[in-house]
Amino acid sequence: MDLIAADASVQPEIRAMDRAQARAFAAAVEDLPGAQREAFLLHVEAGLTHEQIAAVTGTGSETVKSRIRYACSKLRTTMQPWRNDP
């Protein structure tokens, strides 16, 4: 009988790596400055637009855009070791 490799999503080492990556991302989000974390989570998790976030937080939409951009940049840098591309 030929051996059939399990789907990557069920292989223990892949699942452990996925959990470690998720923990690293959660920690990176937690480490963001408060205003950046708030804007990022309202945008990504709650799906609010920049204008809606500005109204909720009492800031300008350009400030919100900057906070989200800085948050994404910091997260991208922090998560760089987890990237698979060369």
Side-chain angles (χ1 to χ4, degrees):
M1 184 165 134
D2 292 328
L3 294 177
I4 299 173
D7 183 74
S9 65
V10 296
Q11 294 177 5
E13 60 276 357
I14 300 297
R15 292 183 68 189
M17 191 180 317
D18 288 347
R19 285 191 302 271
Q21 184 178 12
R23 283 192 303 273
F25 183 76
V29 170
E30 191 63 33
D31 287 343
L32 290 171
Q36 290 177 18
R37 183 175 55 250
E38 177 184 49
F40 176 79
L41 291 174
L42 286 172
H43 185 61
V44 173
E45 292 289 322
L48 298 182
T49 65
H50 295 150
E51 292 75 21
Q52 291 169 324
I53 296 168
V56 168
T57 60
T59 59
S61 69
E62 290 302 316
T63 300
V64 169
K65 288 179 189 178
S66 292
R67 289 175 180 175
I68 293 171
R69 186 176 64 249
Y70 286 127
C72 288
S73 177
K74 288 177 184 178
L75 292 172
R76 210 175 289 112
T77 299
T78 301
M79 297 306 293
Q80 183 63 37
W82 294 96
R83 294 190 64 158
N84 291 331
D85 49 305

